[in-house]
Amino acid sequence: MTKIVVDGTEVDVPADYTLLQACEAAGAEIPRFCFHERLSIAGNCRMCLVELKGAPKPVASCAWGVRDCRPGPNGEPPTVVTKSPMVKKAREGVMEFLLINHPLDCPVCDQGGECDLQDQAMAYGVDTTRFHENKRAVHDKYIGPLVKTSMSRCIHCTRCIRFVSEVAGVPDLGATGRGEDMEITTYLEHAMSSELQANVADLCPVGALTHKPQAYNTRPWELTKTASIDVMDAVGSNIRVDARGREVMRVLPRVNEAINEEWISDKTRQHVDGLRLQRLDRPFLRENGRLRPATWPEAFGAIAARLKGADPKRVGAIAGDLAAVEEMFALKLLIESLGSANIDCRQDGTALHPAHGRASYLFNPAIAGIEQADAILIVGANPRLEAAILNARIRKRWRVALPPIGLIGEPVDLTYPYLHLGAGPDTLGELAAGRHSFLDVLKGAARPLVIVGAGALNRPDGATLLSAIAGLATTIGAVAEGWNGLGILHGAASRVGALDIGFVPGEGGLDALAMAKPGALDVLFNLGADEIQIGAGAFVVYQGTHGDRGAHRADVILPGAAYTEKSGTYVNLEGRPQTTNRAVFPPGDAREDWAILRALSDGLGKRLPFDSLATLRKVLYAAQPHLARLEQVEPADGAAALSTLAGLGGSPSSDRFGMSVRDFFLTNPIARASRVMAECSALATAGPVLVAAE
């Protein structure tokens, strides 16, 4: 630690701190535009100037290290002043310089109310200018459907350039020209191709980059802010849902260092129009091959009539990827009360099962733990499409420490270099048998990490492959004191929570793929499972939010609430329970899913033991106490799970690993209902689209 005096306050800070960090540690506020804690230092806006005693002129605090400060003549600690007349004059001059070419269109600027330039001009600027020349005008650039450009506002802070090249790993943006002629552009003016691209609009301090789908729709002071959790993937990114009236207007990230830092994926951010399109807002009954609107009593009556006298062994339930723990638990209790063991949450046919131990289906090292891994093996996964935020963590680790990374599966662009070891189980066998040099790399690592994706688990031989991977993890010492390097990469937000509560077939029960076969069941409850094709023969009760595949196959539709319209628990891939909060109310006659199931149980004469969400959670927490410990990851016995998995045995097929996600933007009913996601999908499928310059 190094002593430094900031505005008369002596503080101890690490020697590798910058002056800006040291000043903030002492409680001083330092304005900045180009500096960002998660990006490299550029030092080009000069707004963070401070007075360093002994220096002939103000210094840029973001680019000056504490270790570079010289002590006083008698050995006194370095002294920094942030509020002296010199600093005030310097900041006023910088602000005046930044505003020379700025269009000053605050009344119509979509960034108004959330603009760093606006705020800092009020705090550190002056009310007059000495410049009266014509302002610079820059043509706006096309950089895709998610980010709108107003480049005459740009102050060349280069945050966007540094983000796409350092964090996103897809360097679409760059600068051309010098001085006043400098422009931020994609050069050939094509759409950006990163799954994290919209974060540049959050980073932009002046409104040169804004969110195109929300442009000129709202002002920030009109919106009601609600803390929530993302369900577009299994990462569990912390988000803020901004709503106006009964409509969700936008989604923004919340800072959570353990999960998403302060980034979110483009699908998380811009699926919001899908929350109001193609919605199911009333019950429906199928009569004479056509769906007609119905009342709740009619819908419940039709279900009760079909279940009356039905064989319990021919009744089942499948839970979808967006279901919260509460409604899955309620559905499990209802199906069990009917005497059936046919329940499953694994509509993709994955081999994971809670009987193998909780560590067998968690991302055990945790998302933040990726930054400790010193060798990484990815098996049957494409983290860039399956969990974009997690992939950014892997890239972050690669930028810091350059760990060796190997991939077994389909070769793809992961935004960081890796060694492609092979495409299927044969390569996995060679690695386990020691016939590949990468095994020595994994064995020599203190904290090896094995990431297993759905491409290796949702096959008929998924259990055999999981056993082989567990054996390999044992060989390389992936589980040791203080480290569990076996990480299962889920794509569904509901999956870990469902496995935690045991939403899998009971003794003699059918799994999801078996239940979906023609004629397998008489009655099937479908809780938002839209990624599975249900065969003919079964009477299907679909409970969901959108008119997707499940609704098309349904005989009865019960309209549910989306994740922004209810309070629900989701367990992310690490095993961390988190809750969403209601930001708006469901449309029309739609209701929260647990309440629908509670009302249905009355109609079936199988009344569930709760009348409120609080009571339901009390029953849930009694059965699964760890779900009550929100934001905490319950430790799992990794060694026992590895031993159990390794004992499964079997011989895998030689088929190559596939990819569970081909289209990043259309992975669930909400995203498929979104026009913005459809446009992004079309661009991603077609490749870069070039726009001719004007």
Side-chain angles (χ1 to χ4, degrees):
M1 303 294 282
T2 302
K3 290 187 182 299
I4 187 169
V5 179
V6 179
D7 293 336
T9 302
E10 185 177 293
V11 293
D12 290 318
V13 297
D16 57 356
Y17 263 30
T18 63
L19 284 185
L20 187 149
Q21 293 171 302
C23 291
E24 292 192 332
E29 181 179 339
I30 306 295
R32 84 291 297 270
F33 292 114
C34 69
F35 177 79
H36 192 276
E37 291 81 358
R38 304 186 198 277
L39 303 177
S40 61
I41 294 171
N44 53 10
C45 78
R46 319 311 284 183
M47 195 63 203
C48 64
L49 293 174
V50 297
E51 181 181 352
L52 178 62
K53 293 298 183 180
K57 57 183 180 180
V59 301
S61 60
C62 71
W64 195 286
V66 170
R67 60 162 51 96
D68 298 323
C69 298
R70 292 184 296 177
N74 299 314
E76 304 94 337
T79 300
V80 178
V81 182
T82 67
K83 300 176 182 178
S84 67
M86 175 196 288
V87 173
K88 183 176 184 296
K89 182 178 179 181
R91 290 176 181 171
E92 289 174 350
V94 169
M95 182 59 69
E96 187 178 7
F97 183 75
L98 290 174
L99 295 177
I100 289 174
N101 287 313
H102 197 76
L104 302 179
D105 51 1
C106 298
V108 298
C109 176
D110 203 43
Q111 190 89 338
E114 296 177 322
C115 177
D116 290 345
L117 183 65
Q118 192 178 56
D119 295 340
Q120 293 186 38
M122 292 294 293
Y124 303 103
V126 291
D127 60 353
T128 58
T129 179
R130 292 168 288 177
F131 292 88
H132 301 286
E133 290 76 15
N134 291 332
K135 292 180 179 288
R136 178 189 70 156
V138 181
H139 285 295
D140 295 339
K141 309 295 190 296
Y142 172 80
I143 59 175
L146 301 183
V147 181
K148 179 180 180 294
T149 62
S150 301
M151 301 313 293
S152 293
R153 303 171 186 163
C154 181
I155 62 170
H156 303 158
C157 72
T158 68
R159 279 186 179 183
C160 55
I161 296 175
R162 285 175 283 149
F163 173 82
V164 298
S165 61
E166 296 169 12
V167 178
V170 186
D172 289 318
L173 293 177
T176 61
R178 299 182 67 185
E180 190 180 50
D181 296 325
M182 178 178 170
E183 296 185 20
I184 308 298
T185 177
T186 54
Y187 189 63
L188 293 178
E189 295 201 24
H190 62 78
M192 293 194 291
S193 55
S194 169
E195 295 77 23
L196 305 173
Q197 61 180 274
N199 288 286
V200 300
D202 287 344
L203 290 171
C204 183
V206 297
L209 304 176
T210 54
H211 298 295
K212 185 178 289 187
Q214 286 84 41
Y216 303 112
N217 285 338
T218 63
R219 288 295 194 180
W221 52 84
E222 301 174 331
L223 303 175
T224 302
K225 286 85 172 175
T226 306
S228 191
I229 303 299
D230 170 47
V231 300
M232 294 294 106
D233 55 33
V235 174
S237 298
N238 285 209
I239 59 173
R240 192 187 83 195
V241 179
D242 288 1
R244 183 176 60 188
R246 296 179 65 94
E247 185 175 349
V248 174
M249 302 305 297
R250 65 178 183 178
V251 169
L252 295 177
R254 287 189 294 127
V255 176
N256 188 317
E257 299 293 345
I259 303 176
N260 59 305
E261 298 181 300
E262 61 183 88
W263 319 122
I264 54 174
S265 73
D266 296 336
K267 181 168 55 178
T268 298
R269 185 188 300 273
Q270 298 296 8
H271 71 276
V272 292
D273 63 319
L275 289 167
R276 57 181 178 271
L277 299 174
Q278 299 184 25
R279 286 301 301 270
L280 301 173
D281 59 357
R282 68 188 70 180
F284 286 86
L285 275 177
R286 188 176 297 277
E287 291 183 354
N288 301 320
R290 298 176 64 89
L291 289 168
R292 69 163 179 86
T295 63
W296 284 105
E298 283 181 317
F300 290 160
I303 299 170
R306 196 60 186 247
L307 281 171
K308 187 176 182 181
D311 182 358
K313 294 182 179 179
R314 295 185 62 81
V315 176
I318 302 176
D321 294 347
L322 303 183
V325 172
E326 286 84 356
E327 55 250 33
M328 289 190 289
F329 185 70
L331 180 57
K332 180 187 177 187
L333 294 180
L334 179 61
I335 297 300
E336 289 176 346
S337 71
L338 296 174
S340 176
N342 303 320
I343 59 173
D344 202 1
C345 64
R346 306 162 301 176
Q347 56 178 324
D348 57 358
T350 184
L352 302 172
H353 198 287
H356 302 150
R358 194 165 187 255
S360 69
Y361 58 84
L362 295 182
F363 194 85
N364 294 287
I367 296 171
I370 293 173
E371 298 182 28
Q372 302 177 31
D374 46 11
I376 302 174
L377 174 65
I378 302 173
V379 183
N382 181 353
R384 181 175 173 183
L385 299 186
E386 296 173 38
I389 294 298
L390 185 142
N391 193 63
R393 283 277 189 166
I394 300 176
R395 175 175 170 79
K396 180 181 179 182
R397 177 59 177 166
W398 170 78
R399 289 185 64 239
V400 172
L402 295 176
I405 302 174
L407 172 68
I408 302 177
E410 191 171 323
V412 290
D413 180 6
L414 294 178
T415 72
Y416 42 81
Y418 60 85
L419 179 64
H420 185 238
L421 307 178
D426 293 343
T427 306
L428 187 63
E430 291 176 4
L431 192 63
R435 297 195 299 271
H436 201 293
S437 59
F438 199 75
L439 179 65
D440 296 329
V441 174
L442 294 171
K443 280 185 173 182
R447 292 186 177 88
L449 171 58
V450 181
I451 299 176
V452 187
L457 298 176
N458 59 8
R459 303 157 37 120
D461 59 348
T464 300
L465 283 168
L466 186 57
S467 177
I469 293 168
L472 174 62
T474 302
T475 301
I476 64 176
V479 177
E481 184 68 29
W483 176 254
N484 187 338
L486 178 63
I488 306 299
L489 183 59
H490 294 278
S494 67
R495 186 64 49 82
V496 173
L499 293 173
D500 277 351
I501 65 172
F503 204 96
V504 292
E507 185 176 352
L510 302 177
D511 63 16
L513 298 182
M515 284 188 275
K517 290 180 179 178
L521 297 177
D522 292 335
V523 180
L524 176 61
F525 287 85
N526 182 342
L527 184 60
D530 292 281
E531 317 306 320
I532 189 170
Q533 185 67 47
I534 299 173
F539 181 84
V540 179
V541 179
Y542 177 75
Q543 185 173 330
T545 59
H546 286 74
D548 208 79
R549 176 186 291 177
H552 290 177
R553 173 61 184 85
D555 295 289
V556 176
I557 294 178
L558 307 177
Y563 78 102
T564 56
E565 300 158 0
K566 63 186 177 185
S567 176
T569 302
Y570 290 86
V571 186
N572 79 341
L573 49 77
E574 309 168 289
R576 185 190 306 270
Q578 303 179 104
T579 58
T580 61
N581 293 301
R582 176 189 285 163
V584 295
F585 286 91
D589 291 334
R591 295 293 183 268
E592 294 186 43
D593 295 280
W594 71 266
I596 295 173
L597 292 167
R598 167 64 182 80
L600 175 60
S601 70
D602 259 353
L604 300 179
K606 304 290 184 179
R607 185 170 186 170
L608 294 174
F610 49 81
D611 293 315
S612 65
L613 182 59
T615 309
L616 167 57
R617 284 178 171 166
K618 185 177 181 180
V619 178
L620 172 64
Y621 295 159
Q624 301 292 335
H626 73 279
L627 295 177
R629 295 185 277 275
L630 299 178
E631 304 295 339
Q632 297 181 32
V633 178
E634 191 78 10
D637 191 342
L642 272 190
S643 177
T644 302
L645 292 175
L648 297 177
S651 300
S653 71
S654 58
D655 296 340
R656 295 186 171 193
F657 296 137
M659 290 176 58
S660 62
V661 176
R662 291 285 178 181
D663 193 331
F664 170 77
F665 297 101
L666 303 178
T667 56
N668 60 65
I670 300 176
R672 287 192 288 270
S674 167
R675 295 193 183 102
V676 177
M677 292 295 97
E679 185 177 357
C680 291
S681 173
L683 283 172
T685 304
V689 176
L690 305 183
V691 177
E694 295 181 3

